[in-house]
Amino acid sequence: MSRNVLIFGERGNQIRELITAARLVVEGGSTVAAVVNDSALAEEVSASGIAAVNITSAGLNKADVAAVARALQAVASNKDAAVVIVSADRRGRLVGSYLAQLMNAAFISNTDRVACTDDIICTRNTLGGMLCAEQKSLAANQVIAISAKVYDEAPSSSGGSVEELQDSFEAGGVSLIAESSKDTSVADITEADVLVVVGSGVEKDYLDQVQAIADKLSGLVACTKPVATDRKWYSEELVIGISGKTCKPSLALLFGVSGQVQFYAGIRDAKVIAAIDKDQNALITGLADYVLIADTTDAIPGIGAAL
Amino acid sequence: MEIIVAMKQVPDLQQVRLKNKEAVLEGVPLTFGDIDKRALEAAVQLRDTHEGTVHLLSIGNEELEDTAKEALAGGADAATLLISDEFADLDSAQVAQYLAAAIKDMDDYDAVLFGEASGDNYSGQVASRVAAILGYPLIGYAQKISYENGSVTVECSYESKVETVVAACPAVISVVSDIAEPRIPAVTAILKAGKKPKEIMDETDVGIDEASAVIETLSALAPDDNRKCEVVDDVGALIGALKAEKIL
Ligand SMILES: Cc1cc2nc3c(=O)[nH]c(=O)nc-3n(C[C@H](O)[C@H](O)[C@H](O)COP(=O)(O)OP(=O)(O)OC[C@H]3O[C@@H](n4cnc5c(N)ncnc54)[C@H](O)[C@@H]3O)c2cc1C
């Protein structure tokens, strides 16, 4: 069954991953990517051999989710696309779910795999990461948000094109008044072969020693959500879990991490998990390969010295 | 400031057990999601600064009346609860339709707050859908909200940047977990919770005969988490084990 697919994303690498996903479901249909006020990005993604639409409507700002969704709805309708694929980052989820409502569509969020039979079957975590579900749309239209790094970036290919859409769309009443960058100089934990993970059972004074352990193992430091969002010791980019990143390192060395499902869903695919926790009943003791029951204030210096 | 906080009751995941890879939910207590509790706290703080009320809105099965006490003790002034056996297993699109219909019937308010995503399904779409149905401004991933002269100024936390936006009220706002730390209710607040005004509605009261589901779940099973779970005696033994695995 041939399908036309509309893609929405904000960065080239992300859109190229979504193009790979789209190719699994188009079955002879066409793929078009829409971007907002970004001719360079439209040009860049068209190099993967697809049509790119640059929405340049006057007054349209990216922060106005409703207006962006209305513009995408117009592109979808114009291109006869009943399937929209967005990135499962914050903007993608927001715009995608609003668009789903406009299109009377299903919105399947945080999809880790798409497979095609008569329907598009999406695989995603549910119940806080405890279960892995297969879901499909019952509606004629569907918006699928795909997690980062699930698919490889589509390679360059000829046949792409760029067009501009200048129509104006009803504003959603949200004005952008300021913008500031977060620290994005942090390393990409999804690429690391070794991750040393800081949980709430680590004291702040020991972070340097944890970093030294990661350095000795040629790995990266990552963390649990409360360590980033409540204590603010690290960037949220380093969080593992359903609201952070999914990582597949050879070794995950966890310090003071209890192993709640929302965290574990992001590290489940590690080859070996070693956990240090002072509580022999902590959940993680049943979810790790090697468990050392110890206080992190002893184990961190101990491991640092032994490596 | 008049604020509605939409909260979802979810199973206490720490008490969910698996049997033949399926989750056993019978007997598992329901609670409001963690991020929803933080949305409630943010609403309570805004109300305390600007005066007004915080109104809890939630949909679910009959256990919701009990779960709602948690939010009423946590600072909500009143509750509208959509309760029916039909509401036990809805998808997000259905929930959004019912909630939006209930909101349309509620008195003037300035904002409808949601957590960024629920603790169980974590798909983060109900706020957007409600905003789309009601035609109100949608602001997502709020980490800070201020209110002045009938409009909100909100700092929104995206992965690589913070955007500050302004919208006229009423607005639909979803919040991230670091917006506020949920309070632990005092005993007096818990005692008073039962006496706060509550309106209970079913599908006929909200005026929607049937909202159709748009998602079908074909299977939901626990992945294989077969780990060795070997307890080692000391740091030396741990390093030895990792060396034996050839990853050190
Ligand atoms: C919707 C939702 C999404 C979420 N998404 C994520 C997510 O993506 N990622 C995530 O990580 N969390 C997420 N969470 C939070 C998650 O539920 C847990 O709260 C979190 O993972 C716990 O982090 P932790 O293990 O660092 O802390 P805790 O659960 O507090 O565990 C700390 C551990 O350290 C041990 N400990 C304490 N002191 C010491 C010491 N001195 N020495 C040795 N051990 C010690 C304790 O025994 C305990 O096992 C989410 C929650 C919700 C509701």
Side-chain angles (χ1 to χ4, degrees):
Chain A
M1 188 176 114
S2 117
R3 302 181 182 89
N4 295 340
V5 177
L6 168 65
I7 290 172
F8 170 70
E10 292 190 310
R11 293 190 315 276
N13 57 346
Q14 183 187 63
I15 293 174
R16 281 189 291 276
E17 289 176 20
L18 302 182
I19 294 172
T20 304
R23 290 194 170 139
L24 297 171
V25 303
V26 285
E27 305 201 323
S30 63
T31 304
V32 55
V35 303
V36 176
N37 281 329
D38 198 335
S39 53
L41 180 59
E43 214 43 76
E44 182 188 335
V45 300
S46 71
S48 295
I50 58 152
V53 178
N54 185 20
I55 304 166
T56 56
S57 317
L60 182 67
N61 81 73
K62 286 185 185 181
D64 192 345
V65 173
V68 172
R70 285 188 191 113
L72 292 175
Q73 183 187 19
V75 179
S77 150
N78 190 261
K79 304 286 177 190
D80 206 12
V83 179
V84 181
I85 295 184
V86 299
S87 55
D89 59 0
R90 291 183 170 180
R91 181 94 69 201
R93 285 197 298 254
L94 213 50
V95 170
S97 50
Y98 198 101
L99 176 61
Q101 185 62 37
L102 295 179
M103 292 175 68
N104 292 319
F107 178 66
I108 304 186
S109 191
N110 302 343
T111 296
D112 294 322
R113 186 172 54 202
V114 286
C116 219
T117 55
D118 285 346
D119 301 300
I120 300 174
I121 311 293
C122 299
T123 306
R124 63 184 299 270
N125 283 320
T126 55
L127 206 61
M130 194 175 268
L131 304 180
C132 189
E134 288 191 337
Q135 299 182 325
K136 69 168 192 174
S137 171
L138 294 172
N141 294 331
Q142 56 192 309
V143 181
I144 303 170
I146 298 197
S147 306
K149 298 270 165 75
V150 167
Y151 292 108
D152 291 338
E153 292 181 34
S156 302
S157 164
S158 59
S161 63
V162 176
E163 63 184 274
E164 284 212 357
L165 178 70
Q166 292 176 327
D167 301 356
S168 53
F169 299 95
E170 190 192 332
V174 176
S175 317
L176 179 64
I177 55 168
E179 216 175 322
S180 60
S181 293
K182 288 187 182 172
D183 176 13
T184 49
S185 57
V186 287
D188 183 356
I189 55 170
T190 63
E191 299 284 343
D193 196 43
V194 174
L195 285 174
V196 182
V197 185
V198 174
S200 304
V202 174
E203 290 175 21
K204 195 171 186 195
D205 291 347
Y206 289 79
L207 299 186
D208 287 347
Q209 293 186 50
V210 171
Q211 182 64 55
I213 292 173
D215 292 345
K216 280 186 184 163
L217 297 174
S218 304
L220 293 175
V221 172
C223 65
T224 61
K225 188 171 180 197
V227 171
T229 58
D230 299 345
R231 301 193 183 171
K232 305 211 183 303
W233 290 350
Y234 294 109
S235 154
E236 283 180 63
E237 291 288 296
L238 301 185
V239 173
I240 294 173
I242 58 164
S243 52
K245 304 245 164 89
T246 301
C247 302
K248 301 174 182 176
S250 300
L251 170 64
L253 183 57
L254 316 182
F255 287 108
V257 174
S258 61
Q260 302 299 320
V261 280
Q262 296 94 344
F263 166 81
Y264 195 74
I267 199 75
R268 167 174 281 145
D269 293 330
K271 191 161 157 257
V272 174
I273 298 179
I276 292 94
D277 202 291
K278 69 175 180 186
D279 177 3
Q280 61 182 10
N281 297 317
L283 214 53
I284 197 64
T285 58
L287 294 167
D289 296 291
Y290 300 103
V291 179
L292 174 61
I293 304 300
D295 201 293
T296 52
T297 55
D298 297 325
I300 292 171
I303 292 175
L307 287 172
Chain B
M1 187 180 186
E2 302 299 321
I3 309 168
I4 297 171
V5 183
M7 298 175 76
K8 178 178 181 186
Q9 61 170 8
V10 294
D12 179 350
L13 295 183
Q14 298 205 31
Q15 301 199 36
V16 176
R17 296 285 161 264
L18 295 168
K19 193 175 171 194
N20 299 330
K21 293 188 164 197
E22 292 193 30
V24 181
L25 295 172
E26 273 117 39
V28 175
L30 296 168
T31 162
F32 282 127
D34 176 70
I35 308 179
D36 295 1
K37 288 183 193 160
R38 291 161 185 259
L40 172 67
E41 178 61 31
V44 168
Q45 289 176 14
L46 282 164
R47 176 205 61 196
D48 290 347
T49 313
H50 300 283
E51 297 185 343
T53 55
V54 171
H55 201 110
L56 162 70
L57 173 63
S58 189
I59 181 166
N61 61 9
E62 81 258 358
E63 287 175 57
L64 181 58
E65 234 186 301
D66 220 31
T67 313
K69 286 186 193 142
E70 226 184 302
L72 291 165
D77 300 293
T80 296
L81 306 176
L82 312 185
I83 297 181
S84 159
D85 289 345
E86 304 292 312
F87 295 160
D89 209 9
L90 301 176
D91 74 14
S92 306
Q94 294 169 301
V95 166
Q97 279 196 52
Y98 286 115
L99 294 185
I103 292 169
K104 274 185 201 157
D105 275 350
M106 289 164 79
D107 291 338
D108 285 351
Y109 49 86
D110 299 291
V112 188
L113 262 54
F114 288 82
E116 62 163 284
S118 63
D120 53 356
N121 199 30
Y122 203 74
S123 78
Q125 55 180 304
V126 177
S128 310
R129 286 185 181 273
V130 166
I133 296 169
L134 296 173
Y136 294 154
L138 170 66
I139 301 173
Y141 301 100
Q143 62 176 21
K144 190 169 174 217
I145 304 171
S146 29
Y147 171 76
E148 204 178 7
N149 299 328
S151 75
V152 280
T153 303
V154 183
E155 279 180 18
C156 304
S157 171
Y158 288 94
E159 285 81 359
S160 59
K161 61 181 171 180
V162 175
E163 290 181 354
T164 307
V165 300
V166 179
C169 297
V172 172
I173 306 172
S174 76
V175 308
V176 293
S177 56
D178 45 341
I179 191 154
E181 193 67 41
R183 69 186 61 191
I184 296 164
V187 179
T188 46
I190 295 170
L191 294 174
K192 278 188 200 154
K195 301 195 182 80
K196 290 186 176 175
K198 246 183 323 200
E199 186 180 7
I200 295 178
M201 301 167 91
D202 63 15
E203 55 270 51
T204 325
D205 299 322
V206 285
I208 295 181
D209 292 340
E210 207 197 321
S212 334
V214 290
I215 289 183
E216 180 180 347
T217 297
L218 305 165
S219 68
L221 297 172
D224 288 320
D225 290 323
N226 291 327
R227 295 281 168 186
K228 295 194 181 82
C229 305
E230 197 177 311
V231 178
V232 295
D233 289 339
D234 51 29
V235 167
L238 179 64
I239 306 260
L242 296 178
K243 282 193 172 147
E245 292 268 4
K246 298 196 173 24
I247 42 176
L248 282 192

